[in-house]
Amino acid sequence: MHLASISLTLALATTASGLALATAAPAVAAPVAQTTAAPAQPAPAAHSEVSTHASAAARAKWYTQRHEALGPRKGYFTTSDWKRLSGVRVMQVKARCWGNDSQIVVRLHYVRRYGAGGKVAKSGKWACNGRYGIVRIHNAGHGKYYASFSLDKKHTVEYWVQYYK
């Protein structure tokens, strides 16, 4: 244990025992209250509960930028473009479809500048069994992205565009 946590634990134990005596025997607790009333100096290295909760709130997590279900389709189809938010470097597309008799191919494209078209950043392939698959890129740097899906049979596709920040 660190010295700061020991002193903090000792101060809390002393305060708790003083409160217990004060509720049990008010006549006896008066001298004890005077001896424990000395202000305890907070240790500079000790972390408070407030700082622990503040850091948990600022922790990075996944945010959904777009969630959509595309009606029953077959073949190759794409989504509309979306913009990458400032400071976001990790992006992913989660997609799923239903029907165990086929597979889905998901591609995450980025849009190149100056009308040069789109380029596949990452792709993935999995079964249409209702579970979602993930296509993720870690060093996203382009401004616009879109996703494309390929199905060999007619299925509904549900997808999520997410970023980590």
Side-chain angles (χ1 to χ4, degrees), residues 11 36 138:
T36 59
H138 291 277

XYZ file of all heavy atoms in Angstrom, residues 11 36 138:
22
model
N -7.327 7.918 8.551
C -8.183 9.065 8.841
C -9.653 8.681 8.755
O -10.459 9.099 9.593
C -7.878 10.209 7.881
N -10.135 13.685 18.070
C -10.165 13.357 16.643
C -10.569 14.537 15.781
O -10.638 14.424 14.581
C -11.141 12.189 16.377
O -12.435 12.580 16.821
C -10.681 10.928 17.048
N -7.992 1.536 -38.895
C -7.399 2.159 -37.716
C -6.742 3.503 -37.976
O -6.482 4.239 -37.043
C -6.360 1.223 -37.092
C -6.981 0.017 -36.473
N -7.513 0.018 -35.217
C -7.202 -1.221 -36.966
C -8.012 -1.170 -34.941
N -7.843 -1.951 -35.994
